[in-house]
Amino acid sequence: LSLREHEVEDLKAQETRLQEQVKEIQDERDRSATQCNTLEEQLTEMQAGQDHSATQYTTLQQQYTGMHNERDHALARQVELTQLLQDAQENLSLQLALHHQKMTASDKEAEAMLDQIESQSQEAQALTSYMHEHTSMSS
């Protein structure tokens, strides 16, 4: 009987050890579950951060593309305005040259008219002198 009691006590001690091991395993499982939950939360936060970063990247890329397009448009407009300025400068140069030619032509016409008036004036004087002489002679 004493042997049996010894076996019972051994079995009870074994049961106690097993219960302690079960408790340790349950505690370990709970710690692991807590760690898993923490890691899942961190992963969720990281994914949200990654999504936010991706959204920010997309936004920045769109802004960059928009600025690049605006720059290209501004450069095209600058080329267009430069061409318009060159055309205006050429047009002004042509107008100035034409005005100069007209002024030169006007000066030449005026000189020719003055020469003609002077010539006519001399003819009139000569005619007046001739008439004067002939009227004086006839009287």
Side-chain angles (χ1 to χ4, degrees):
L1 198 69
S2 162
L3 189 61
R4 273 222 184 274
E5 285 177 11
H6 190 47
E7 285 177 5
V8 167
E9 282 185 25
D10 279 348
L11 286 174
K12 282 184 180 180
Q14 242 183 353
E15 182 184 11
T16 303
R17 281 194 307 274
L18 286 173
Q19 285 175 347
E20 287 172 359
Q21 286 178 345
V22 165
K23 177 74 173 123
E24 286 175 14
I25 289 172
Q26 286 173 338
D27 288 347
E28 183 63 32
R29 187 195 63 201
D30 290 347
R31 279 193 301 274
S32 292
T34 302
Q35 283 179 337
C36 262
N37 288 340
T38 302
L39 288 173
E40 282 178 4
E41 288 171 7
Q42 288 175 346
L43 181 61
T44 301
E45 287 174 11
M46 289 173 67
Q47 285 174 335
Q50 188 178 16
D51 290 346
H52 181 68
S53 293
T55 301
Q56 282 182 322
Y57 175 79
T58 301
T59 302
L60 288 173
Q61 191 160 24
Q62 288 169 347
Q63 288 174 347
Y64 171 79
T65 301
M67 290 170 66
H68 194 71
N69 290 341
E70 286 176 23
R71 189 202 67 184
D72 289 349
H73 179 71
L75 287 174
R77 186 73 179 131
Q78 181 184 7
V79 168
E80 183 181 321
L81 290 174
T82 301
Q83 185 60 49
L84 286 173
L85 179 62
Q86 286 175 346
D87 292 348
Q89 287 172 335
E90 287 175 18
N91 189 14
L92 182 60
S93 294
L94 289 173
Q95 286 180 354
L96 285 172
L98 184 61
H99 182 68
H100 181 68
Q101 282 180 340
K102 284 181 181 178
M103 292 300 289
T104 304
S106 292
D107 288 349
K108 287 181 182 174
E109 286 175 18
E111 281 180 38
M113 288 176 73
L114 283 174
D115 288 346
Q116 187 180 6
I117 290 171
E118 194 177 319
S119 172
Q120 288 174 350
S121 176
Q122 287 172 354
E123 287 176 14
Q125 277 181 338
L127 189 58
T128 305
S129 295
Y130 177 77
M131 293 288 281
H132 201 46
E133 278 178 31
H134 276 30
T135 3
S136 300
M137 284 184 173
S138 3
S139 22

Short mmCIF file of all heavy atoms in Angstrom, two decimals, residues 7 12 20-21 42 55 57 67 76 78 94 99 120:
data_model
loop_
_atom_site.label_atom_id
_atom_site.label_comp_id
_atom_site.label_asym_id
_atom_site.label_seq_id
_atom_site.Cartn_x
_atom_site.Cartn_y
_atom_site.Cartn_z
N GLU A 7 3.29 6.03 -5.46
CA GLU A 7 2.97 6.21 -6.87
C GLU A 7 1.91 7.30 -7.04
O GLU A 7 2.00 8.13 -7.95
CB GLU A 7 2.45 4.90 -7.49
CG GLU A 7 3.51 3.88 -7.75
CD GLU A 7 2.94 2.58 -8.30
OE1 GLU A 7 1.72 2.51 -8.57
OE2 GLU A 7 3.73 1.66 -8.49
N LYS A 12 0.50 12.69 -8.51
CA LYS A 12 0.00 14.02 -8.15
C LYS A 12 1.08 15.07 -8.40
O LYS A 12 0.79 16.17 -8.92
CB LYS A 12 -0.43 14.06 -6.69
CG LYS A 12 -1.77 13.41 -6.44
CD LYS A 12 -2.18 13.59 -4.99
CE LYS A 12 -3.53 12.93 -4.75
NZ LYS A 12 -3.96 13.06 -3.36
N GLU A 20 1.58 23.10 -14.06
CA GLU A 20 2.47 24.25 -14.12
C GLU A 20 2.98 24.47 -15.54
O GLU A 20 3.03 25.60 -16.03
CB GLU A 20 3.64 24.06 -13.15
CG GLU A 20 3.26 24.20 -11.69
CD GLU A 20 4.39 23.81 -10.74
OE1 GLU A 20 5.49 23.42 -11.22
OE2 GLU A 20 4.19 23.90 -9.52
N GLN A 21 3.31 23.36 -16.20
CA GLN A 21 3.78 23.46 -17.58
C GLN A 21 2.65 23.99 -18.48
O GLN A 21 2.89 24.83 -19.36
CB GLN A 21 4.27 22.09 -18.09
CG GLN A 21 5.61 21.69 -17.52
CD GLN A 21 6.05 20.30 -18.02
OE1 GLN A 21 5.23 19.53 -18.56
NE2 GLN A 21 7.31 19.99 -17.80
N GLN A 42 1.35 47.26 -35.51
CA GLN A 42 2.48 47.95 -36.10
C GLN A 42 2.46 47.81 -37.63
O GLN A 42 2.72 48.77 -38.36
CB GLN A 42 3.80 47.42 -35.54
CG GLN A 42 4.06 47.83 -34.11
CD GLN A 42 5.33 47.17 -33.54
OE1 GLN A 42 5.87 46.23 -34.11
NE2 GLN A 42 5.78 47.69 -32.40
N THR A 55 0.54 57.96 -51.37
CA THR A 55 -0.36 59.05 -51.77
C THR A 55 0.43 60.35 -51.89
O THR A 55 0.26 61.09 -52.86
CB THR A 55 -1.49 59.21 -50.73
OG1 THR A 55 -2.22 57.98 -50.65
CG2 THR A 55 -2.45 60.33 -51.11
N TYR A 57 3.61 60.62 -52.48
CA TYR A 57 4.48 60.49 -53.65
C TYR A 57 3.69 60.77 -54.92
O TYR A 57 4.14 61.52 -55.79
CB TYR A 57 5.08 59.08 -53.69
CG TYR A 57 5.89 58.83 -54.94
CD1 TYR A 57 7.18 59.32 -55.05
CD2 TYR A 57 5.35 58.12 -56.01
CE1 TYR A 57 7.93 59.11 -56.20
CE2 TYR A 57 6.08 57.91 -57.16
CZ TYR A 57 7.37 58.40 -57.26
OH TYR A 57 8.09 58.20 -58.39
N MET A 67 4.09 71.22 -62.77
CA MET A 67 5.09 72.28 -62.86
C MET A 67 5.93 72.13 -64.12
O MET A 67 6.27 73.12 -64.77
CB MET A 67 5.98 72.27 -61.61
CG MET A 67 5.25 72.71 -60.35
SD MET A 67 6.21 72.43 -58.84
CE MET A 67 7.58 73.56 -59.08
N ALA A 76 7.59 77.64 -74.29
CA ALA A 76 6.97 77.77 -75.62
C ALA A 76 6.46 79.19 -75.81
O ALA A 76 6.63 79.80 -76.89
CB ALA A 76 5.85 76.75 -75.78
N GLN A 78 7.58 81.83 -74.31
CA GLN A 78 8.75 82.71 -74.42
C GLN A 78 9.27 82.69 -75.85
O GLN A 78 9.60 83.74 -76.40
CB GLN A 78 9.83 82.26 -73.45
CG GLN A 78 11.07 83.14 -73.48
CD GLN A 78 12.17 82.62 -72.57
OE1 GLN A 78 12.07 81.54 -72.00
NE2 GLN A 78 13.22 83.39 -72.44
N LEU A 94 11.71 98.19 -91.06
CA LEU A 94 11.21 98.40 -92.42
C LEU A 94 10.41 99.70 -92.51
O LEU A 94 10.56 100.46 -93.48
CB LEU A 94 10.33 97.22 -92.85
CG LEU A 94 11.06 95.90 -93.12
CD1 LEU A 94 10.06 94.78 -93.38
CD2 LEU A 94 12.00 96.04 -94.31
N HIS A 99 9.92 105.20 -94.22
CA HIS A 99 9.71 106.60 -93.85
C HIS A 99 10.90 107.45 -94.31
O HIS A 99 10.72 108.55 -94.84
CB HIS A 99 9.53 106.71 -92.33
CG HIS A 99 9.26 108.10 -91.85
ND1 HIS A 99 8.09 108.75 -92.14
CD2 HIS A 99 10.02 108.97 -91.12
CE1 HIS A 99 8.13 109.96 -91.60
NE2 HIS A 99 9.29 110.11 -90.97
N GLN A 120 10.66 129.42 -112.85
CA GLN A 120 9.49 130.19 -113.30
C GLN A 120 9.61 131.64 -112.85
O GLN A 120 9.22 132.57 -113.58
CB GLN A 120 8.20 129.56 -112.76
CG GLN A 120 7.83 128.25 -113.44
CD GLN A 120 6.63 127.57 -112.78
OE1 GLN A 120 6.18 127.97 -111.72
NE2 GLN A 120 6.12 126.53 -113.45
#
